Amino acid sequence: MRPFYGAFAGAGALLLAGLSSVQAATEIEFWHAMSGTLGERVDELVKKFNDSQKDYVVKAIAKGNYDEVLNGTIAAYRAKRQPEIVQSNERSFLTMVNSGAIVSTTELMAQQGRPVDVSKFIAPVVSYYAIDGKLQAMPFNSSTPILFYNRDHFKAAGFDKPGATWQELEPQLDAIKAKGVSKCAMVLPGDYEWSFLENYSAVNDIPYATKRNGMDGLDTSFVFNKGKLVGQVERMKRLVTSGVMQLAGQGIIPIQLFTSGECSTIIASTASHAAVVAAAKFDWSAAELPYEQGVTPKNSVIGGAALWTLKGHTPEKYKAIAAFYDFLAKTDTQVWWHQATGYVPVTTAAYDAAKAEGYYQKNPTREIAVVQLMRGTPSDNSLGFRIGNSNQINVAIMEEVSAAFLGKKPVQQALDDAVGRGNEVLRRYEQLNAGKK
Amino acid sequence: MPARNSTAALPVAAGGGVLRLRWPFRRLLLKGGGDGQAESGLKRAHFRDWRLPFWLLAPQLFILLLFFFIPSIRALIQAFQLTDPFGATTQWVGFQNFERLFRSSVYWSSAQVTLIFTIAQNVLTLSLALLLAFASNHILRGRGVYRTVLLLPYAIAPAIAGIMLAFLFNPRVGPVAHMLQELGLDWDPNRNSWHALSLIVMASSWKHICYNYIFLVAALLSVPQSILESAYLDGAGPIQRFLRISLPMITPTLFFLIVINFVYGLFETFAIVDATTLGGPAGATSILVYKVYQDGFVTLDLGSSAAQSVVLMALALFLTFAQFRFVERRVNYSV
C-alpha cells in the first residue's frame, strides 16, 4: 500500500510543479550545433540568461552538426513541431530567408518593443545577415579564418614568424619540410572552400561570382575560374603534391594534427582558439590570412552561424525570444562569449569593451580576426556571399578541386567544371525562387 | 488460469507427426473442424474465412505500408518536383530531374564506382566467408570459440566500423597505414582513388563476412555426412571433398548470398562510406546510395535525390530479377 501512496504523492507534486512552472515562466527551445567545449559554453550562456530573470526559460538542445540541425528543423517544421530558435550556419542564409518559415529579427524585435539598431553590429556581420538594413537572423557565433602556427617549428627552421604574403610563406613551408622540422608544414582544413577560396577572393579583392557575389540578385554566376584564384588552386595543388600540405582525411579532425604538434600551420576559424588553447602543448601563435604580393588586403568575410526565429508560435514565446536576443546583444554577454569561445564579438561596443579592459594585450591572437574583418573599406568582392543552395555547390566545388589535387584533371579544367556545376545549381535555385530576393 | 486443453501441445510439424493445435486455431484453421492432420498443411482452402489470415499478415503489411509503400510513393512524386526544403515552394518539373541526372557525368562515374564496389565487395565477402566456413568446419578443438569470434563484427554498427578503419588506415596517424608505408606502399586514401575504394570495400566486406559465414556454416552442416564419408573412403582429400561435393550442394545458399550481398552493397553501405571516406576523394567512393543520402540530406536537393532513389529502386528490382532469371538456372536445389 505504501508505495502506492508514495507514487500518488509524487505524481501530485510533479503536477503541481508542472503547473507552477507553466504559470511562472515561458519556455522556449533553442536547437544548436555546438559540440564539445563550444557546446558547454552554450549551456553556460543559456544558464546565465535563465538565471538573470524569472519570466523565461531557454532550453538549449544540441542537435548534431549544422547540416543535422537544419535537417531536423525542416522535418520539425513540416510536422508543425518546430522549435522557437535554431542556429543555422551562414551558408544556409538564402535557404532560411526564402523558406517562408522564419520571422526576421528586425521585425520580431520591433513588434516586441525592443527595436534593433543595426549600426550596433560590426559591418561584416551586418552585410552578411541584413537585407535592406533589416537583420534576418540574430548574429550569434561569427568567425573568420586566421593562420595558426607552431612557433617552435618556425624557430627551428630559422624564422621569426610566418610571412604576410603567400610569396613569403610558401618558401617557409617548404623549408620547414626540407629541414625536417616537421613532416607536415601545413594541414588542409576540412572547410577549405571557405578559407582558401571564398576568403582568398575577398582578401585579394577578386570577384567570386557576378552581381557582387550574389548580393544583387539570384541571377548571379560564378567567375572564380579566372584570374588569381586559378593560381591559388595551382599553389594548393603544388603544396599537396609535394607533401608540404597534408590532408587529414577521415577519422581525425585537421585541427588535431596542429594541436598535437604534427603539423606546423593550419588556416582555421578563429573559433579554433578553444581547441588550440585546450590541447596545444607548444609555443603557438596566430597571424592574419596570407595574401598575394602587391595586393592591399581587404577584409575577410565571416563564417559561423546566426539564430533564426521560426514562425508559428504564441505571442508569449516571441516575447521570450526577444528577451533572449536582447540578452545576447548585451555588451557583457558578447565580451564573455568572445573570450570564452574565440568567436568575434558581433557588436562594436563589445569589441571596444574587450579592448578597454586590456584583453588583447594579454591575448593578442584573439584580436586578429576582428582586425582582419574590419580592415579597409569592404569592396564589392569582400561584402560577403549570397549564394542559393550553397551547401550543394560547396560539395561540387570541393569535389572538383580535389580532383585537381589528385591529378585527375588539370586545375583550370577542374575550376571550369566547378563553375559549370555551381552555375547549374544557381539556375535551378533561381527557377524555384523566381521573384524572391 | 489453468490450460483448458492440457493435452494439446504447441504446433509441432517435425518428423511428419501429427500437428496439434490449441483451441482457437484448431477451429479457425482446419477444414471442418478436422482432426488435425499435419499432412493437410496450411493451405488457403483451410482458412475458414478471410479474417485470420488478414490479422496474421496485418502487422507486416502495416510496417511495409509505413516504411516502404508510403515513402516509395512520396519519392516517386518528389522525383518529378523541384522543391524548397521547407516545402514553401514546389514546382512540377516533369522529367527534368531525371534528364539532369542522366546528363551528369558525376552520376555516371558514381554508377561506375558502384559497379566496381559491389562486385569487389561481393567476391571478397563470399570467398573469405567460404574459406572461413570451410576452415572452421575442419577444426575440431575450440570450434565454438572460432565461430563466435568470426561472428562478432556483425554486432558492430557500420558507422563505428567505418570510423575505426578510417583511423587505422589514416595515412598520418593510422598504425596499419604506417605498416603499409614501411612495406614500401605509398598508402594514402586521401589522395589515391583506388586506395579509398579498397578501403570501403574492406570496411563493408569485413562487416558482412560474418553474415555470409553463418549461412555457409549452416549450409555446410547440412551436407549429408554419408556422401562425404563415402568420398573419404574413395580417397578424396578435404579440399577435393569440399570442391566436388560440398560446394555443388550449397549452391542455393551461395545464390541467396550473392543476391543479398548485392542488395547490401547497393543499399546498406552508405553509413560505412560516410564514416570512412565521405564519398571522396573527388567522388572516388561516392557510390549511388551515398549520393542519394548526400544530395538529399546534406545538400537538400530533394528532387534529384528522389529521382536517384527511384533509379536505384528500379536497378535493384532489375538486378534481383536478372539474378533469379539467369543465375538461378545454375543452382541445384535437389540434394
Side-chain angles (χ1 to χ4, degrees):
Chain A
M1 283 300 146
R2 238 163 123 204
F4 178 74
Y5 279 121
F8 193 74
L14 272 177
L15 197 67
L16 278 175
L19 278 175
S20 62
S21 78
V22 164
Q23 281 161 352
T26 309
E27 196 178 281
I28 55 172
E29 272 188 23
F30 163 31
W31 289 6
H32 66 84
M34 305 271 91
S35 57
T37 325
L38 292 174
E40 287 165 27
R41 296 290 170 273
V42 170
D43 290 339
E44 266 176 68
L45 176 76
V46 166
K47 191 173 180 309
K48 275 172 191 279
F49 171 72
N50 289 341
D51 291 347
S52 73
Q53 41 71 45
K54 276 187 284 181
D55 298 335
Y56 315 111
V57 177
V58 173
K59 256 176 71 184
I61 302 168
K63 282 270 174 183
N65 63 28
Y66 287 129
D67 294 337
E68 286 158 359
V69 173
L70 185 58
N71 257 310
T73 306
I74 288 167
Y77 182 77
R78 289 186 151 201
K80 299 199 189 337
R81 302 189 55 176
Q82 67 272 31
E84 284 76 13
I85 303 172
V86 289
Q87 182 191 22
S88 193
N89 66 350
E90 94 287 354
R91 283 199 184 283
S92 58
F93 182 79
L94 274 188
T95 305
M96 296 303 288
V97 169
N98 289 329
S99 66
I102 61 120
V103 183
S104 87
T105 299
T106 296
E107 197 184 311
L108 165 85
M109 297 308 266
Q111 276 169 5
Q112 298 303 327
R114 302 172 188 254
V116 184
D117 180 7
V118 177
S119 65
K120 269 181 24 182
F121 293 89
I122 63 171
V125 164
V126 175
S127 67
Y128 217 113
Y129 291 115
I131 295 179
D132 301 333
K134 284 182 181 140
L135 272 185
Q136 300 299 305
M138 176 67 195
F140 182 56
N141 54 322
S142 289
S143 60
T144 203
I146 59 174
L147 172 76
F148 288 91
Y149 66 97
N150 186 322
R151 217 187 233 155
D152 293 340
H153 286 182
F154 271 76
K155 267 187 206 142
F159 304 116
D160 198 25
K161 59 178 178 142
T165 64
W166 276 109
Q167 283 68 20
E168 289 164 321
L169 180 65
E170 260 190 279
Q172 289 179 335
L173 296 177
D174 289 341
I176 287 173
K177 168 135 172 131
K179 288 181 181 166
V181 175
S182 87
K183 273 193 257 175
C184 164
M186 181 177 261
V187 55
L188 188 73
D191 54 0
Y192 68 81
E193 199 264 345
W194 175 57
S195 45
F196 278 76
L197 308 182
E198 285 179 0
N199 266 293
Y200 173 87
S201 69
V203 166
N204 290 289
D205 201 7
I206 52 175
Y208 196 73
T210 59
K211 297 258 167 184
R212 298 201 296 159
N213 291 331
M215 291 283 178
D216 283 352
L218 296 181
D219 52 342
T220 167
S221 315
F222 290 110
V223 290
F224 58 72
N225 56 340
K226 298 177 194 115
K228 285 202 179 105
L229 213 110
V230 183
Q232 165 79 342
V233 177
E234 292 278 10
R235 171 185 298 127
M236 291 166 78
K237 184 187 170 171
R238 191 192 70 71
L239 291 173
V240 168
T241 320
S242 63
V244 171
M245 181 153 70
Q246 301 275 349
L247 313 174
Q250 282 280 90
I252 39 172
I253 304 161
I255 192 77
Q256 289 175 335
L257 285 178
F258 175 74
T259 56
S260 68
E262 173 108 2
C263 295
S264 311
T265 57
I266 184 171
I267 291 179
S269 157
T270 183
S272 304
H273 265 110
V276 175
V277 169
K281 302 268 186 299
F282 48 83
D283 188 16
W284 62 271
S285 189
E288 289 175 14
L289 283 177
Y291 48 87
E292 296 292 336
Q293 204 161 31
V295 164
T296 311
K298 287 278 173 197
N299 63 293
S300 59
V301 294
I302 60 158
L307 305 187
W308 296 84
T309 317
L310 291 173
K311 274 187 183 161
H313 297 289
T314 59
E316 270 301 303
K317 303 256 184 184
Y318 287 115
K319 218 180 255 179
I321 299 167
F324 183 53
Y325 288 174
D326 230 22
F327 169 80
L328 286 182
K330 271 192 185 145
T331 305
D332 287 353
T333 317
Q334 279 299 319
V335 170
W336 175 82
W337 175 249
H338 166 51
Q339 296 179 355
T341 60
Y343 284 110
V344 296
V346 291
T347 60
T348 35
Y351 172 52
D352 293 341
K355 204 174 191 171
E357 73 177 52
Y359 180 71
Y360 299 124
Q361 259 136 29
K362 273 179 270 160
N363 306 280
T365 60
R366 299 297 182 114
E367 199 180 9
I368 296 170
V370 195
V371 171
Q372 186 178 278
L373 277 172
M374 310 227 275
R375 76 183 161 202
T377 323
S379 72
D380 285 356
N381 299 322
S382 70
L383 267 179
F385 299 87
R386 200 154 287 169
I387 304 294
N389 283 343
S390 181
N391 267 336
Q392 202 179 340
I393 293 168
N394 229 3
V395 169
I397 292 176
M398 305 248 283
E399 208 171 284
E400 294 298 336
V401 170
S402 51
F405 290 170
L406 262 59
K408 277 188 173 175
K409 42 177 111 166
V411 168
Q412 185 63 55
Q413 196 202 326
L415 287 176
D416 291 348
D417 291 351
V419 164
R421 282 172 72 179
N423 284 342
E424 203 185 318
V425 178
L426 284 177
R427 293 295 73 78
R428 213 155 357 113
Y429 190 80
E430 201 188 349
Q431 180 190 342
L432 183 66
N433 291 285
K436 288 185 194 166
K437 211 162 173 126
Chain B
M1 196 173 68
R4 180 193 286 245
N5 189 352
S6 55
T7 53
L10 281 170
V12 183
V18 172
L19 180 70
R20 293 182 171 189
L21 290 167
R22 272 182 194 281
W23 154 71
F25 296 105
R26 183 194 290 267
R27 193 168 58 84
L28 281 160
L29 282 177
L30 302 171
K31 197 161 45 178
D35 43 5
Q37 294 298 308
E39 284 76 16
S40 56
L42 296 176
K43 292 194 181 125
R44 188 177 51 174
H46 296 102
F47 290 105
R48 272 202 180 156
D49 61 46
W50 58 272
R51 269 173 298 193
L52 179 71
F54 173 79
W55 285 115
L56 289 175
L57 283 174
Q60 175 70 8
L61 287 177
F62 180 69
I63 287 170
L64 271 181
L65 181 77
L66 218 58
F67 293 102
F68 181 73
F69 288 108
I70 293 177
S72 302
I73 292 166
R74 288 280 313 145
L76 199 62
I77 296 170
Q78 206 143 50
F80 295 95
Q81 290 175 336
L82 191 58
T83 167
D84 171 85
F86 279 85
T89 329
T90 302
Q91 281 175 14
W92 192 260
V93 293
F95 283 94
Q96 199 187 342
N97 287 327
F98 290 96
E99 273 167 39
R100 235 178 47 231
L101 206 58
F102 293 128
R103 264 196 292 113
S104 148
S105 62
V106 178
Y107 188 70
W108 287 112
S109 81
S110 168
Q112 200 183 340
V113 167
T114 311
L115 188 73
I116 301 170
F117 167 73
T118 41
I119 292 175
Q121 179 264 128
N122 211 332
V123 170
L124 190 69
T125 309
L126 206 57
S127 52
L128 281 182
L130 203 54
L131 190 71
L132 290 171
F134 167 71
S136 67
N137 229 15
H138 283 81
I139 291 166
L140 294 177
R141 195 179 292 175
R143 190 188 285 182
V145 178
Y146 281 107
R147 284 186 184 158
T148 313
V149 170
L150 285 172
L151 283 176
L152 278 179
Y154 198 63
I156 296 172
I160 307 287
I163 285 282
M164 213 172 66
L165 274 146
F167 182 76
L168 286 175
F169 284 88
N170 185 296
R172 294 232 54 81
V173 296
V176 181
H178 286 171
M179 241 163 59
L180 290 171
Q181 283 157 357
E182 299 275 302
L183 291 173
L185 177 69
D186 186 20
W187 172 265
D188 193 345
N190 298 329
R191 287 192 294 165
N192 186 314
S193 323
W194 291 109
H195 291 179
L197 194 58
S198 52
L199 194 57
I200 62 161
V201 169
M202 259 190 281
S204 51
S205 302
W206 181 71
K207 265 296 290 164
H208 215 52
I209 281 176
C210 5
Y211 182 89
N212 283 229
Y213 171 77
I214 196 168
F215 275 88
L216 290 171
V217 165
L220 286 176
L221 283 178
S222 71
V223 173
Q225 204 60 32
S226 54
I227 306 180
L228 289 173
E229 276 166 8
S230 65
Y232 177 73
L233 288 178
D234 290 340
I239 294 173
Q240 215 174 0
R241 288 200 303 265
F242 178 73
L243 291 178
R244 295 275 173 84
I245 296 169
S246 303
L247 206 55
M249 286 187 129
I250 62 170
T251 44
T253 309
L254 289 177
F255 173 63
F256 164 77
L257 287 175
I258 289 172
V259 176
I260 290 290
N261 286 347
F262 267 115
V263 172
Y264 167 78
L266 277 178
F267 290 98
E268 288 168 47
T269 40
F270 86 93
I272 285 178
V273 176
D274 195 49
T276 318
T277 59
L278 279 177
T285 54
S286 178
I287 55 172
L288 290 173
V289 66
Y290 184 68
K291 249 188 95 56
V292 171
Y293 161 76
Q294 196 179 38
D295 289 357
F297 285 89
V298 179
T299 69
L300 299 173
D301 186 356
L302 301 179
S304 173
S305 179
Q308 288 175 43
S309 68
V310 168
V311 172
L312 206 54
M313 208 150 35
L315 188 70
L317 279 176
F318 169 76
L319 264 180
T320 319
F321 172 78
Q323 282 172 338
F324 275 95
R325 188 89 175 75
F326 302 113
V327 186
E328 204 186 19
R329 289 187 181 171
R330 298 179 169 273
V331 172
N332 178 19
Y333 283 108
S334 54
V335 174

